[in-house]
Amino acid sequence: MIHIRPEVSSFLASSPVKMFINGKWVNAKNGGSSEVWDPAEGKVIGTVAAGDSSDVDLAFEGAGNAFRKTSWSTMPPNDRAVLIHRLADLIEKHNDILAQIEAWNCGKPLPQTTGFEIPHVAKTFRFYADLSVAVRRQEPIAVAGHEARSVLLPYGVCGFIFPWNFPILLLAWAIAPALAAGNTAVIKPASLTPLSSLYFCKLAKEAGIPDGVVNTVTGPGNEVGEAIVSHPDVKRISFTGSTEIGRRLGELAGKHLIPLKLELGGKGVAAVYDDVNVNDVADKVARAVCLNTGRTCCTATRWVVHENIYDQFLKRATDTLKSMKIGHGFDEGTEMGPLVSEKQRETVLGYVERGEKSGAKVLLETGPLHPKGHENGFYVKPGILTGPPSNVCCLDEIFGPIAYMMPFRNDDELIEMVNSNPYGLANSVWTKDLKRANRIAESLVAGSSWINAHNVFPHGVPYAGVNQSGYGGGVLGPDTFFDYLRKQSVVRPL
């Protein structure tokens, strides 16, 4: 039997859990609500308000007033940073509560949220708070006959839309730089996983963030999300999610001439040369594809392995995946939890079926899994496929623990195989030859190239995508902070 912390039970006790708009907890104006599930048990754990465009209007009204009428946008950066650090303090103080909410709602192993995700959230807010204090916001311009300067100013109300794979982490990556720059936020979390975003609002209120600076509207994406992107008062938009939805939102943002940041899907490669410790690398790459049950857009889902070590690599990776402990995220020793919903499980297994029908060969069979005591959860076994690069399972993002493995003979073949894919988010190169590693890392088209590691996210290093993996700026780096500041020239003829 899983143990739920009393603070979590208390937070979920209201039915539904309300939205957070202009510093107040409110029900949807239409009275709507939606269920929230524990995917590890396959059961409902609560309900949340399900709003629509009328609630989005209220959120923008509150965010607009906060930007124009409170001191948030004009206060000295150090004063704003103090409040953001206070928020980070509360995130750390409530680490175990946030971690349990995130693990429960998303189906993650608890050590993943406790030991990495929530601490990373706090560090993200601290990183941008500190950066905001160090940035010069006025620069003189040397021009004859004029006194001139360039100033950096916040945009205003920014809209944020997040997916269900890393709800609280992606919230921090997106809104931390925007808030530190002096903007206000209207947030739409994924309908499946809204709980950590709502609890975050509770901490923002407690930290003294002015009312209206942070607003969270829960509800369907086609109503709430599109209403945010189409709102006349939105000044910038950040979306993380599928390429398909990114295209739709890009059309809406373009129609209204609103700057849009897109961090979309990926089909990450682990390119493995024959000079590595094969067992060690195979174990690491296999565990990477299982991180967050494969629901990590940048993770290594394509394994391009030198032909000299292909068989040995496959054997070790297969052994690692077979030994993976799969179960409820609260169970001791769990290494991989369920997918987020039955629909997502059907999608993952449907991809494998389509891949087989179009010529892919199964190297390690996947399928539904029913761990003892959690038989109704949305579990799936990790799998490995192989076949040509043109196969749908090699081309498309599956968003599950399914690897697609291919051999290569030389650098040219590797580069062509990797770069023929339409995505471009993140790849890794594994070799002891660092000169070769750096050369190949630069040749593989992606926003990030990692060497002898995968899924590396240090603060200060930009993380972004190219091609169908996104555009408009990344996250985690200083550039992201400047994305939320507009330049304005001030000129006086002498």
Side-chain angles (χ1 to χ4, degrees):
M1 183 176 179
I2 62 174
H3 171 70
I4 304 302
R5 297 178 65 92
E7 300 92 339
V8 176
S9 297
S10 175
F11 179 65
L12 289 172
S14 58
S15 184
V17 178
K18 298 178 180 180
M19 298 181 288
F20 188 74
I21 296 177
N22 199 24
K24 297 179 177 60
W25 296 96
V26 298
N27 284 314
K29 292 188 72 176
N30 63 12
S33 64
S34 61
E35 295 175 334
V36 180
W37 288 61
D38 169 10
E41 298 265 276
K43 68 179 184 181
V44 175
I45 58 176
T47 60
V48 297
D52 57 23
S53 60
S54 62
D55 302 288
V56 172
D57 288 339
L58 284 178
F60 270 93
E61 180 182 356
N65 286 335
F67 182 78
R68 294 186 300 270
K69 298 179 182 179
T70 73
S71 61
W72 185 255
S73 63
T74 58
M75 71 171 59
N78 189 67
D79 292 350
R80 193 162 48 236
V82 167
L83 292 176
I84 295 174
H85 269 288
R86 192 175 298 161
L87 174 57
D89 290 342
L90 288 172
I91 291 169
E92 291 173 341
K93 180 180 177 181
H94 292 77
N95 180 90
D96 291 346
I97 299 170
L98 270 169
Q100 187 172 86
I101 290 173
E102 192 79 335
W104 198 20
N105 194 187
C106 301
K108 299 170 182 277
L110 191 56
Q112 177 182 320
T113 56
T114 303
F116 170 71
E117 292 184 23
I118 308 307
H120 192 92
V121 167
K123 290 176 184 176
T124 300
F125 280 100
R126 294 196 192 283
F127 173 77
Y128 284 109
D130 292 342
L131 178 63
S132 71
V133 174
V135 167
R136 286 171 57 96
R137 302 196 182 216
Q138 294 195 22
E139 292 289 345
I141 303 173
V143 57
H146 298 78
E147 178 187 75
R149 67 185 184 276
S150 176
V151 297
L152 296 175
L153 300 167
Y155 277 86
V157 184
C158 300
F160 301 92
I161 304 172
F162 310 122
W164 38 256
N165 57 334
F166 289 96
I168 191 68
L169 186 66
L170 295 177
L171 179 151
W173 283 11
I175 77 166
L179 296 186
N183 299 279
T184 58
V186 175
I187 298 165
K188 186 242 176 292
S191 297
L192 290 171
T193 56
L195 296 181
S196 59
S197 298
L198 291 169
Y199 196 87
F200 167 83
C201 294
K202 177 179 181 294
L203 302 184
K205 177 82 170 179
E206 186 177 343
I209 304 296
D211 291 348
V213 171
V214 174
N215 306 269
T216 295
V217 182
T218 50
N222 60 346
E223 295 184 25
V224 175
E226 293 198 7
I228 289 174
V229 176
S230 303
H231 201 278
D233 293 335
V234 70
K235 301 303 180 186
R236 281 195 71 90
I237 302 159
S238 174
F239 169 75
T240 305
S242 73
T243 299
E244 179 184 3
I245 297 177
R247 288 194 185 99
R248 169 61 181 160
L249 298 185
E251 292 174 1
L252 291 173
K255 181 179 179 180
H256 299 284
L257 300 178
I258 302 300
L260 173 66
K261 292 166 61 71
L262 295 175
E263 198 273 276
L264 306 175
K267 196 68 178 176
V269 165
V272 185
Y273 281 86
D274 58 355
D275 62 343
V276 300
N277 180 322
V278 179
N279 287 345
D280 177 63
V281 175
D283 184 71
K284 289 177 179 176
V285 171
R287 293 183 181 282
V289 82
C290 291
L291 174 66
N292 207 36
T293 321
R295 304 168 296 177
T296 307
C297 49
C298 59
T299 203
T301 53
R302 285 186 292 161
W303 301 349
V304 184
V305 181
H306 196 280
E307 61 181 10
N308 290 346
I309 60 169
Y310 185 90
D311 291 340
Q312 182 185 351
F313 187 97
L314 173 60
K315 183 182 184 305
R316 177 58 179 237
T318 299
D319 290 343
T320 298
L321 294 180
K322 284 183 175 179
S323 68
M324 191 75 58
K325 183 176 179 181
I326 302 171
H328 198 294
F330 292 2
D331 290 346
E332 187 175 355
T334 293
E335 297 173 281
M336 190 178 88
L339 293 168
V340 74
S341 66
E342 179 59 35
K343 180 181 177 181
Q344 182 61 20
R345 180 163 67 177
E346 291 173 356
T347 297
V348 169
L349 298 180
Y351 260 114
V352 174
E353 183 179 353
R354 287 167 56 197
E356 285 189 78
K357 288 181 178 178
S358 57
K361 178 183 176 183
V362 175
L363 300 177
L364 176 64
E365 186 176 2
T366 183
L369 186 68
H370 305 284
K372 185 177 181 181
H374 310 297
E375 289 82 2
N376 295 323
F378 311 127
Y379 299 92
V380 67
K381 294 183 287 187
I384 307 174
L385 304 174
T386 190
S390 59
N391 189 274
V392 65
C393 288
C394 185
L395 290 174
D396 287 5
E397 181 179 48
I398 297 175
F399 232 45
I402 309 298
Y404 198 92
M405 187 171 175
M406 297 174 288
F408 77 95
R409 291 169 293 181
N410 55 54
D411 293 352
D412 291 341
E413 185 178 36
L414 166 66
I415 292 168
E416 172 62 25
M417 199 179 297
V418 174
N419 291 346
S420 63
N421 189 276
Y423 289 107
L425 190 53
N427 300 312
S428 59
V429 182
W430 301 77
T431 176
K432 293 178 181 178
D433 184 340
L434 292 183
K435 183 177 180 181
R436 175 170 62 187
N438 282 283
R439 174 170 50 81
I440 298 300
E442 291 184 9
S443 300
L444 304 184
V445 177
S448 295
S449 286
W450 297 310
I451 294 175
N452 295 329
H454 207 100
N455 296 323
V456 184
F457 309 105
H459 289 95
V461 177
Y463 168 81
V466 296
N467 298 336
Q468 291 190 22
S469 290
Y471 71 85
V475 293
L476 280 182
D479 290 351
T480 314
F481 175 75
F482 291 103
D483 283 342
Y484 290 99
L485 291 167
R486 61 179 181 85
K487 282 189 175 182
Q488 183 167 320
S489 299
V490 180
V491 185
R492 180 176 69 89
L494 297 177

